[in-house]
């Protein structure tokens, strides 16, 4: 089998995690080129991945005949421009979350990939984490019964200054909800079902983060199946590194419950050993980024639709954009699926 030839576009922070996947899948991928406007970052990643080509303009990557796919690890506002150009050039696309800053951009990306017949996959990495894959398995087995309440949060301190693109609404599209909370939105959609209405409040904390975008937020969800949920997100959590958890999930059902505090724990009336008490469920030790990158390759080679397809990324973005509108209006907002 010939390896999939990849151009990595954007060689900053998250590209380091993507690189772990490529390094552990040498029979599936070959990194041909690395691109970043900061040439030293592209050179660093190229050295790590064995790429022989280093450029500072993504157009040089897309124009190459020896590249089959691109991995886009750029600021949010650049996702659509680069992904559409790559798809139109016949390249398969893996793009970091969020898929884009707006639904119009996301729709254009999905349409470009459809027209060219290429794979468009969004790096909603949490669906590839063993803990959530096991949670999904338990939900589908029905051990929780009907889920009626879901709770999640994101607890982190992000120390950035005003020069960083995450600080600005024009480049990031928002703050903690679109930047990290969208991961939790995506997991709740995957585990519980589609979200049809949202209520949202947020706070800007210029002393700790930015005077343009929210540092913390609380979102309430109404699911299509009648369940409700809440998500608390914080990028300015004091002493977050020593907090009891980084990300929290709790699902409540008519027959049982599960949470991920200190592992994955489930209690259920459906299983004798789990009745009336929480029991820890073994989780395999796997790197979610290796799982994610492998899935991208399998979708290309086998013609499969990605678990986190462009359409799925668009749906999670639709929840976030509805939440931002809810913050502006003070009302519950229907999600535009």
């Amino acid at each position: 089998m010939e390896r999939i030839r990849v151009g990595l576009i954007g060689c900053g922070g998250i590209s380091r995690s993507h690189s772990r996947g490529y390094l552990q899948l040498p029979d599936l991928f070959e990194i041909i080129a690395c691109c970043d406007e900061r040439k030293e970052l592209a050179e660093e990643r190229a050295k790590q991945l064995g790429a022989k080509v280093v450029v500072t303009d993504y157009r040089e990557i897309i124009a190459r005949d020896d590249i089959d796919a691109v991995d886009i690890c750029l600021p949010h506002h650049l996702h659509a421009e680069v992904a559409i150009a790559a798809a139109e050039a016949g390249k398969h696309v893996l793009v970091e979350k969020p898929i884009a800053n707006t639904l119009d951009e996301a729709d254009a990306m999905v349409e470009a990939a459809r027209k060219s017949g290429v794979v468009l996959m969004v790096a909603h990495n949490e669906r590839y984490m063993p803990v959530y894959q096991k949670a999904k398995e338990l939900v589908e087995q029905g051990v929780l019964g009907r889920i009626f309440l879901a709770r999640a949060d994101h607890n982190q301190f992000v120390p950035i200054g005003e020069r960083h693109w995450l600080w600005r609404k024009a480049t990031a599209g928002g703050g903690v909800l679109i930047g990290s909370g969208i991961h939790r939105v995506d997991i709740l959609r995957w585990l519980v079902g589609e979200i049809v209405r949202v209520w949202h409040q947020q706070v800007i904390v210029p002393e700790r983060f930015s005077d343009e975008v929210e540092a913390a937020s609380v979102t309430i969800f109404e699911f299509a199946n009648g369940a409700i949920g809440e998500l608390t997100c914080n990028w300015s959590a004091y002493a977050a590194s020593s907090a009891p958890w980084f990300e929290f999930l709790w699902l409540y059902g008519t027959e049982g419950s599960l949470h991920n505090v200190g592992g994955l724990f489930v209690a259920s009336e459906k299983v004798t050993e789990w009745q009336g008490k929480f029991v820890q469920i073994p989780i395999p030790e796997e790197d979610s980024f290796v799982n994610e990158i492998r899935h991208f390759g399998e979708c290309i080679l086998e013609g499969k639709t990605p678990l986190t397809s462009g359409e799925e990324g668009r749906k999670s973005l639709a929840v976030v954009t509805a939440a931002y509108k809810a913050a502006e209006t003070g009302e519950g907002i229907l999600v535009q699926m």
Side-chain angles (χ1 to χ4, degrees), residues 143-144 254-257 267-272 274-277:
V143 299
L144 304 186
T254 55
E255 301 291 336
S257 187
S268 173
E269 290 298 307
K270 295 291 188 72
V271 180
T272 301
W274 301 348
Q275 290 178 353
K277 61 182 178 181

Side-chain angles (χ1 to χ4, degrees), residues 4-144:
I4 299 166
R5 301 167 298 178
V6 176
L8 179 62
I9 303 176
C11 297
I14 195 62
S15 74
R16 299 184 183 94
S17 298
H18 287 225
S19 295
R20 295 204 307 267
Y22 294 117
L23 287 171
Q24 294 193 45
L25 299 166
D27 295 334
L28 187 56
F29 293 98
E30 178 184 6
I31 307 301
I32 299 294
C34 292
C35 173
D36 198 283
E37 66 178 6
R38 294 173 59 186
K39 189 175 182 181
E40 67 273 17
L41 290 180
E43 290 173 338
E44 176 187 336
R45 203 65 60 240
K47 181 178 180 181
Q48 177 189 18
L49 296 170
K52 297 180 180 179
V53 178
V54 171
V55 298
T56 57
D57 188 336
Y58 78 86
R59 297 170 186 85
E60 295 184 48
I61 296 269
I62 292 171
R64 297 184 66 93
D65 293 331
D66 59 349
I67 286 179
D68 307 306
V70 298
D71 184 340
I72 300 170
C73 297
L74 294 170
H76 303 166
H77 70 296
L78 299 176
H79 288 183
E81 172 188 328
V82 180
I84 291 169
E88 290 177 344
K91 314 299 185 186
H92 301 286
V93 176
L94 174 63
V95 60
E96 254 303 320
K97 60 76 203 158
I99 183 173
N101 274 354
T102 71
L103 294 181
D104 285 344
E105 289 176 339
D107 289 337
M109 292 165 69
V110 170
E111 180 63 11
R114 186 195 65 79
K115 282 185 175 180
S116 296
V118 298
V119 170
L120 172 60
M121 175 171 152
V122 184
H124 274 294
N125 179 260
E126 296 195 355
R127 292 203 197 189
Y128 304 97
M129 292 181 177
V131 63
Y132 296 126
Q133 290 178 334
K134 178 58 71 171
K136 175 72 169 177
E137 180 183 321
L138 293 170
V139 168
E140 292 188 339
Q141 288 174 352
V143 299
L144 304 186

Side-chain angles (χ1 to χ4, degrees), residues 76 97-98 124 126 153-158 166 172 174-187 214-215 217 231-235 246-247 320 324:
H76 303 166
K97 60 76 203 158
H124 274 294
E126 296 195 355
D153 76 6
H154 179 89
N155 188 55
Q156 186 180 13
F157 178 61
V158 180
L166 275 176
V176 65
L177 183 62
I178 196 170
S180 288
I182 196 167
H183 270 314
R184 319 302 293 144
V185 167
D186 191 69
I187 281 296
E214 81 279 4
S217 66
L231 169 63
T232 300
C233 296
N234 190 356
W235 264 354
F246 165 52
E247 291 186 332
V320 169
Y324 284 145

